[in-house]
Each structure stands twice: as C-alpha cells, then as structure tokens.
Amino acid sequence: MKKRDKVRRFFVGGKNFQKEFKKQVRLIVIVTLGFTIAFSWRQTIFDAVQTLVQKLTNSNGLPSSVLTSIVITLISLLIIYITAHLLREKRDE
C-alpha cells in the first residue's frame, strides 16, 4: 500500500478518525447544551442571589448588583477549584 493511500485512509475512512470524530461531535453537543442550560438559568440565579444580598446588606440598585456579581463569581471559583482538585490526575511517585 502506498504512503499516500495510508494517509488518505487514515483521514477519510480510518477507524481512528471515525472514533475521534464521534468523540468530538459528542463533546460539541454536550458543550452546546450546557451553554444553553446556563444561559436559561442565568437571570434566575442572578435574581435569587441578588435578593439574598439585598436582604443581608439592606442595599438596592448598583451596589447590590455589583455585590451579587462578586458573590456569584466567588461561589463559581470555589466550585471550579473543588472540581479541579477532585478530578486531577494522580501523579506516579
């Protein structure tokens, strides 16, 4: 088999390509649906946290909105940190 045929077979009809293609399509679908879900819940979560911040600080308007964004950011960073810690690969010592 010629080298050119091997390369063409790998990219067009090879099992590695098909397996990777299916994996990437699955990932695209999951990411797209994840963003759709996050976008649909964005305002609801913001309003709920803003109500909590307003009750705790007795403030309204822009300061409340800024505090709400800060609280959501801190909670998100904490979740990212915990997730990264739990899902990290163990090193061989």
Side-chain angles (χ1 to χ4, degrees):
M1 184 178 279
K2 293 180 183 178
K3 185 177 181 180
R4 193 164 93 189
D5 291 335
K6 287 181 181 179
V7 171
R8 184 179 309 174
R9 187 169 157 249
F10 176 79
F11 284 108
V12 176
K15 290 186 184 218
N16 290 337
F17 177 79
Q18 290 174 353
K19 185 178 176 182
E20 185 65 26
F21 182 76
K22 286 180 183 179
K23 181 179 171 183
Q24 295 300 324
V25 168
R26 205 169 31 242
L27 182 64
I28 288 171
V29 169
I30 289 169
V31 169
T32 303
L33 293 175
F35 275 119
T36 302
I37 292 167
F39 185 74
S40 68
W41 279 95
R42 179 189 60 86
Q43 192 63 41
T44 304
I45 292 170
F46 186 86
D47 291 343
V49 175
Q50 187 172 32
T51 301
L52 179 66
V53 167
Q54 286 174 346
K55 286 182 181 180
L56 293 175
T57 63
N58 295 323
S59 66
N60 277 333
L62 184 61
S64 172
S65 181
V66 171
L67 284 173
T68 301
S69 296
I70 290 171
V71 168
I72 291 173
T73 301
L74 292 175
I75 291 170
S76 298
L77 287 173
L78 180 65
I79 292 170
I80 289 170
Y81 177 77
I82 291 169
T83 304
H85 180 71
L86 293 175
L87 297 178
R88 73 171 188 255
E89 293 182 18
K90 304 289 184 195
R91 294 185 198 173
D92 292 332
E93 294 181 23

